[in-house]
């Protein structure tokens, strides 16, 4: 029996596949449509099988020393196509990655997350894979990129790089664009965290420094009686609530209940790049905008208690807004109605520290949040309660961030015990 007839009888369904098939004569016989093409190269005498699958840009090839070997490999190739096992798509890694970001990830991410993904790809991934095809990148290529992050970025950023590349290749395998066995991320590993630069120490204002900042917020000019630091009371408010910068920008006056002494955190405002993309990032346009969205996690939707100092700071800030004719729906707004920039708030904190002779390594609004949490823990407030007020996903996050404080408290307790 002719071998091609035998193939048709055993795998009839395979030949129902649609595709562009090149017909070639071998030994004076014409191959049937759907069989692919087989020919012998004149240069080295090797036999080549060519098969074009629908929806794939390039045909697939198999090679062998004899015609019979190539026929067998060509049959296995068609069986793989029938089972949905993809071949390696000949496309540049960066082109594929950008389409994956735009077509797949963009629709399931917050605009803030997409902005961070794009920034990580553009700065940490794209430069390493220029002109490299998706299917030709080896585990060694990717491992070299991961190893290089030890010297260039933090461990947290390196984790993002690792997860992004892994997710993209998983998608390529799921879509059949590359075979699972050719996924290079199966053999790559992120360097140990101990090899990266240690985290920067958390800066916390001590009790005396907090008192100085509170006094600085009350300073006024002698000439006109205006507050010296226009946003000083917002700094004090952050010191005594521990809310995030974006949560402050999303705060409305209606969220503040002075009678119950609570502030309701229901939204977050951040300044990010908002992209206008069609099919690829190459022709993407973006502009910086303030975007209002839900808080960071579901636990970030919470009620935070207000002490007398926080209420006083808000009342003083409200009086200033009324005097300037700038009382709006949102608390932290400029006279033009825009959210107060992070630069202005950070600059205010810096000036208040200089006025109060407070020397800190760096001026960050997040230091105010760390100060709030640290003072609560030192006062003996349960970690579970602190975690709830901070809006952390769970207590493990609180313990991870403030573990150094817990260790110091444990050391002090042991010293007291030794003196007993």
């Amino acid at each position: 029996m002719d071998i091609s007839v035998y193939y048709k009888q055993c795998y009839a369904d395979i030949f129902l596949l649609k595709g562009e098939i090149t017909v070639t004569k071998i030994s004076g016989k014409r191959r049937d449509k759907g069989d692919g093409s087989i020919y012998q190269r004149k240069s080295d005498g090797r036999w080549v099988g060519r098969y074009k699958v629908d929806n794939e840009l390039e045909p697939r090839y198999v090679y062998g020393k004899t015609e019979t070997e190539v026929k067998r490999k060509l049959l296995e190739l068609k069986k793989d196509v029938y089972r949905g096992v993809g071949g390696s798509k000949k496309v540049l890694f960066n082109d594929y990655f950008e389409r994956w970001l735009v077509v797949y990830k963009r629709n399931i991410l917050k605009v803030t997350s997409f902005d961070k993904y794009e920034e990580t790809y553009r700065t940490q991934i794209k430069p390493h894979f220029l002109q490299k095809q998706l299917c030709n990148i080896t585990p060694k290529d990717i491992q070299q990129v991961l190893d290089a992050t030890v010297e260039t970025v933090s461990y947290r950023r390196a984790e993002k790089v690792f997860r992004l590349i892994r997710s993209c290749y998983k998608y390529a395998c799921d879509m059949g664009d590359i075979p699972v066995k050719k996924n290079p991320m199966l053999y790559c590993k992120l360097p140990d965290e101990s090899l990266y630069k240690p985290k920067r120490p958390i800066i916390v204002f001590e009790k005396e420094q907090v008192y100085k900042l509170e006094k600085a917020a009350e300073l006024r000019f002698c000439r006109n009686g205006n507050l010296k630091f226009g946003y000083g009371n917002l700094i004090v408010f952050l010191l005594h609530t521990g809310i995030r910068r974006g949560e402050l920008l999303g705060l409305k006056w209606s969220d503040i209940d002075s009678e119950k002494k609570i502030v309701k955190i229901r939204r977050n405002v951040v300044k990010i790049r908002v992209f206008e993309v069609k099919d690829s990032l190459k022709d993407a346009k973006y502009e910086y905008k303030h975007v209002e969205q839900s808080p960071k996690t579901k636990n970030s939707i919470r009620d935070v208690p207000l002490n007398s100092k926080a209420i006083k700071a808000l009342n003083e800030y409200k009086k200033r807004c009324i005097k300037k004719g700038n009382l709006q729906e949102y608390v932290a707004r400029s006279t033009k109605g825009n959210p107060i920039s992070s630069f202005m708030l950070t600059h205010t904190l810096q000036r208040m520290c200089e006025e109060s002779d407070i020397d800190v390594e760096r001026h960050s609004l997040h230091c105010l949040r760390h100060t709030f949490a640290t003072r609560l823990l030192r006062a003996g407030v349960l970690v579970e309660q602190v975690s709830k007020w901070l809006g952390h996903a769970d207590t493990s996050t609180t313990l991870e961030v403030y573990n150094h404080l817990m260790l110091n408290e444990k050391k002090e307790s042991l010293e007291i015990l030794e003196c007993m």
Side-chain angles (χ1 to χ4, degrees):
M1 179 185 294
D2 191 312
I3 190 169
S4 63
V5 176
Y6 173 76
Y7 288 163
K8 285 186 178 181
Q9 290 176 350
C10 295
Y11 305 102
D13 290 339
I14 294 176
F15 298 99
L16 295 177
L17 290 169
K18 294 181 179 180
E20 178 187 335
I21 305 298
T22 304
V23 180
T24 306
K25 289 185 178 181
I26 298 178
S27 303
K29 296 181 180 180
R30 183 184 182 92
R31 293 179 61 79
D32 294 333
K33 185 176 181 180
D35 285 359
S37 64
I38 297 177
Y39 59 92
Q40 187 177 23
R41 291 197 304 211
K42 294 182 180 180
S43 58
D44 56 6
R46 292 188 70 192
W47 287 85
V48 182
R50 179 182 183 276
Y51 189 74
K52 183 67 172 68
V53 182
D54 204 13
N55 298 327
E56 289 192 11
L57 299 177
E58 300 290 339
R60 305 190 197 179
Y61 293 90
V62 293
Y63 303 90
K65 295 181 179 179
T66 65
E67 180 183 355
T68 303
E69 181 183 358
V70 170
K71 285 181 179 180
R72 176 179 56 80
K73 290 183 177 180
L74 199 60
L75 174 63
E76 292 297 324
L77 174 61
K78 289 185 281 188
K79 287 169 61 179
D80 287 343
V81 172
Y82 181 69
R83 293 196 301 264
V85 179
S88 297
K89 220 173 190 180
K90 292 189 176 181
V91 60
L92 292 178
F93 173 86
N94 285 341
D95 290 343
Y96 190 91
F97 197 100
E98 290 178 8
R99 282 201 295 269
W100 169 71
L101 272 181
V102 172
V103 176
Y104 178 66
K105 297 298 289 185
R106 185 167 176 243
N107 295 327
I108 61 176
L109 293 172
K110 286 184 176 181
V111 287
T112 49
S113 299
F114 181 79
D115 182 26
K116 292 177 182 177
Y117 274 41
E118 191 279 336
E119 193 271 338
T120 300
Y121 159 70
R122 177 169 40 83
T123 59
Q124 303 300 325
I125 299 176
K126 183 177 181 178
H128 298 284
F129 298 107
L130 298 176
Q131 303 304 318
K132 289 189 177 182
Q133 289 189 359
L134 178 73
C135 60
N136 292 338
I137 294 176
T138 65
K140 182 180 179 181
D141 295 330
I142 295 179
Q143 192 62 54
Q144 287 177 345
V145 174
L146 297 176
D147 291 343
T149 60
V150 172
E151 301 294 334
T152 57
V153 298
S154 66
Y155 180 72
R156 297 303 175 209
R157 174 61 69 90
E159 280 186 319
K160 292 180 181 179
V161 173
F162 180 82
R163 287 197 298 265
L164 266 178
I165 300 176
R166 183 179 61 184
S167 298
C168 181
Y169 267 105
K170 182 180 183 302
Y171 175 83
C173 291
D174 292 343
M175 294 295 102
D177 295 328
I178 62 170
V180 176
K181 63 183 179 181
K182 285 193 175 183
N183 183 356
M185 291 304 294
L186 296 176
Y187 313 100
C188 295
K189 186 178 180 181
L190 193 65
D192 190 81
E193 185 175 1
S194 61
L195 299 176
Y196 290 82
K197 295 179 181 178
K199 296 179 182 179
R200 291 188 298 181
I202 293 176
I203 294 177
V204 175
F205 293 106
E206 300 300 330
K207 184 177 180 180
E208 296 78 10
Q209 294 174 327
V210 171
Y211 177 76
K212 288 181 178 180
L213 289 175
E214 292 169 351
K215 288 301 179 182
E218 298 175 358
L219 294 176
R220 296 178 180 271
F221 291 108
C222 297
R223 183 177 301 176
N224 53 24
N226 292 336
L227 288 170
K228 189 171 184 179
F229 304 104
Y231 300 132
N233 282 304
L234 289 182
I235 299 298
V236 175
F237 180 73
L238 290 175
L239 265 174
H240 289 281
T241 58
I243 66 176
R244 300 179 179 94
R245 177 190 60 199
E247 293 169 346
L248 171 66
L249 298 182
L251 193 64
K252 296 181 179 181
W253 289 107
S254 58
D255 297 325
I256 300 164
D257 192 331
S258 299
E259 293 183 2
K260 295 183 179 179
K261 295 184 177 182
I262 60 171
V263 55
K264 302 174 182 178
I265 306 301
R266 298 294 183 268
R267 65 197 69 81
N268 191 48
V269 172
V270 290
K271 187 177 183 179
I272 61 166
R273 293 174 303 159
V274 178
F275 287 82
E276 293 183 7
V277 190
K278 292 184 179 180
D279 299 320
S280 175
L281 289 175
K282 292 181 179 179
D283 56 351
K285 297 180 181 179
Y286 66 85
E287 60 179 325
Y288 284 93
K289 290 183 179 180
H290 282 96
V291 177
E292 182 177 306
Q293 58 185 17
S294 58
K296 190 174 182 180
T297 67
K298 64 178 181 179
N299 288 341
S300 295
I301 301 176
R302 65 199 188 279
D303 293 343
V304 179
L306 297 175
N307 61 15
S308 57
K309 292 183 178 179
I311 294 175
K312 179 183 176 182
L314 267 184
N315 289 336
E316 290 296 325
Y317 180 74
K318 191 172 186 178
K319 290 178 183 178
R320 175 181 177 273
C321 291
I322 294 174
K323 183 178 179 181
K324 287 182 169 290
N326 188 36
L327 186 62
Q328 305 178 43
E329 180 184 10
Y330 289 84
V331 174
R333 286 293 187 273
S334 67
T335 52
K336 293 183 179 180
N338 299 319
I340 300 173
S341 69
S342 300
F343 171 78
M344 287 302 300
L345 291 173
T346 304
H347 183 59
T348 299
L349 174 60
Q350 180 181 355
R351 290 172 56 219
M352 291 173 70
C353 287
E354 292 172 354
E355 178 74 25
S356 307
D357 293 326
I358 299 175
D359 185 21
V360 294
E361 181 182 347
R362 63 184 186 277
H363 301 87
S364 168
L365 294 178
H366 216 66
C367 297
L368 306 176
R369 180 172 167 83
H370 290 320
T371 300
F372 174 76
T374 302
R375 296 182 72 190
L376 288 176
L377 291 170
R378 285 177 177 171
V381 179
L382 294 176
V383 175
E384 292 79 7
Q385 188 61 65
V386 175
S387 179
K388 181 179 179 181
W389 287 343
L390 291 175
H392 284 162
D394 49 52
T395 55
S396 62
T397 305
T398 311
L399 291 172
E400 180 183 357
V401 176
Y402 301 104
N403 185 52
H404 70 289
L405 175 64
M406 309 299 286
L407 292 176
N408 291 338
E409 293 296 325
K410 182 179 179 181
K411 183 178 180 181
E412 292 177 6
S413 300
L414 291 175
E415 291 175 353
I416 294 174
L417 180 62
E418 186 66 26
C419 295
M420 291 177 64

